[in-house]
Amino acid sequence: MAIVKKMNMTNQIMIAMVLGIVVGLAVGPSIEPIKIFGDIFLNLIQMSVVVLVMGAVIEAVGDLDAKGLGKLGLKMAIWFMASTFLAAALGIVLGYIIQPGTGVEAQLSGTVVEISNSSLSEIILGFFPTNIIESMANANMIQVIVFAVLFGLSISIVSTKMDVSILKTGIKQFNIIILQIVKMIMVMAPLGIFSLLAWVTGTIGIAVIIPLIKFLAAMAIGTIVFLILWIIITAAYVKVNPLKLWKKLSNMTLVAFTTTSSAIALPTKMEDQEVKLGISKRISRLVGPLGMALNSNGLALYLSLAAITLAQFYEVHFTLTDMLQIVVLSTLACLGTVVVPGGGLVALAIVIPSLGLPTESIALLAGIDWFSGMFRTVLNVDADATIAMILAYDEKELDYSIFNEEKVKE
């Protein structure tokens, strides 16, 4: 028991995944009653998702200095959203090219809700809430995020006219409490994952492994493709050598890949931005922290690819407007990214139910969350650094003499 307590959550979940698959294959369909423990875990995760996202977005946007940022803040938001949107769209494309969710003939018993075929104008109109309480009750995450962004912006604007520090402190404290709830729930993750995967493999068999391998392959390919595209775009925009830019990003890339944590990689990223890329401290120290909350390219790629993978698994067919909804939802869901254990699972709990797919399908990807997190973190960290470089170029705060140095003084 002491060994289990010392083991980190990632290792516990990976062991639970293996045990779940083994036990499910050994017992077979009669293991179905164990699924209730997994369902309880998923219900508890979903319980806090709406307020978790709303609070995180309000805090992140509300902390922006509306007066001081000006055009810089607008540019930063545009680049954040553009890169995240591109990553989400790439996830859709890769999902249909690689077909990671195919190869499993049997279907799970979960309830699939077909998404209605709405027109593009109806889809766009649906992003904006008429009643935020109703949006929260229905877990309409796009509408909740839109409201949270407006709320945060209003706090930022009003704070220039009057003291709203008590409100800001209250929101921060509220978010800390919600995060604590999520951390408490995540203690159940190994049991929940074990129960759901034992049920899945007991029902379907060893074929359930196929989508997991193909999904990780798709994530790896997506990470490489996006990095190549984004480095070329950045290098062309700021007029530098793309190969040299890649070399300058290599250290933070390695840290991100091995730690799977944007928070842990943040000090390395900010130092490299200043001493290797030539980004001014003002830009580096603004974009670095905000990028963790507002710019998650890797998560956007992961969420859209996961949606397509699970839809293929359930043989659900999306229309073009459905795919647009997936891209937008995956993009906006990244605004609520927070550093909590099992953050990928929380993000899936936001997107998957919104698309009408069964909540228990999250368990299929939960066991490989740490591996997919390696690729997600690389995209998150490298995209933050390159966007900081783009903004520094726009503000004439990019030092080419530092960028062109072959060696960095320690």
Side-chain angles (χ1 to χ4, degrees), residues 113-135:
V113 180
E114 292 289 345
I115 301 176
S116 59
N117 293 324
S118 304
S119 66
L120 179 59
S121 60
E122 289 172 331
I123 291 287
I124 294 173
L125 184 60
F127 295 162
F128 303 95
T130 55
N131 184 333
I132 188 56
I133 304 300
E134 182 181 0
S135 300

Side-chain angles (χ1 to χ4, degrees), residues 370-391:
W370 184 82
F371 295 103
S372 57
M374 297 167 77
F375 303 113
R376 293 199 304 263
T377 309
V378 167
L379 289 191
N380 292 346
V381 170
D382 284 12
D384 286 351
T386 50
I387 289 174
M389 195 174 186
I390 289 170
L391 293 173

Side-chain angles (χ1 to χ4, degrees), residues 90 126 147 245 249 302 317 359:
L90 178 60
F147 175 83
L245 176 55
L249 292 171
Y302 170 78
H317 302 285
T359 309

Side-chain angles (χ1 to χ4, degrees), residues 273-304:
Q273 284 176 172
E274 296 166 21
V275 303
K276 291 185 178 180
L277 299 181
I279 299 168
S280 69
K281 289 185 178 180
R282 182 178 82 97
I283 300 295
S284 175
R285 294 175 187 185
L286 172 68
V287 178
L290 283 178
M292 282 201 306
L294 303 176
N295 187 48
S296 299
N297 302 154
L299 182 60
L301 172 68
Y302 170 78
L303 293 175
S304 60

Side-chain angles (χ1 to χ4, degrees), residues 75 278 280 282-283 389-400:
K75 286 180 183 178
S280 69
R282 182 178 82 97
I283 300 295
M389 195 174 186
I390 289 170
L391 293 173
Y393 172 81
D394 285 343
E395 296 294 310
K396 295 180 173 55
E397 296 182 33
L398 182 62
D399 191 332
Y400 285 94

Side-chain angles (χ1 to χ4, degrees), residues 6-38:
K6 290 181 181 179
M7 194 179 299
N8 63 40
M9 180 61 66
T10 297
N11 289 337
Q12 289 182 41
I13 290 177
M14 289 173 66
I15 291 172
M17 173 194 175
V18 174
L19 288 177
I21 292 172
V22 171
V23 172
L25 291 174
V27 177
S30 61
I31 202 170
E32 184 173 359
I34 201 174
K35 179 175 176 283
I36 188 171
F37 296 107

Side-chain angles (χ1 to χ4, degrees), residues 160-187:
T160 63
K161 304 172 184 176
M162 60 184 292
D163 183 12
V164 292
S165 58
I166 295 177
L167 175 61
K168 284 186 174 182
T169 301
I171 292 171
K172 291 179 190 295
Q173 292 173 338
F174 175 80
N175 288 342
I176 291 171
I177 292 171
I178 295 299
L179 287 177
Q180 182 58 43
I181 292 175
V182 174
K183 289 177 183 178
M184 290 164 59
I185 294 168
M186 285 304 297
V187 173

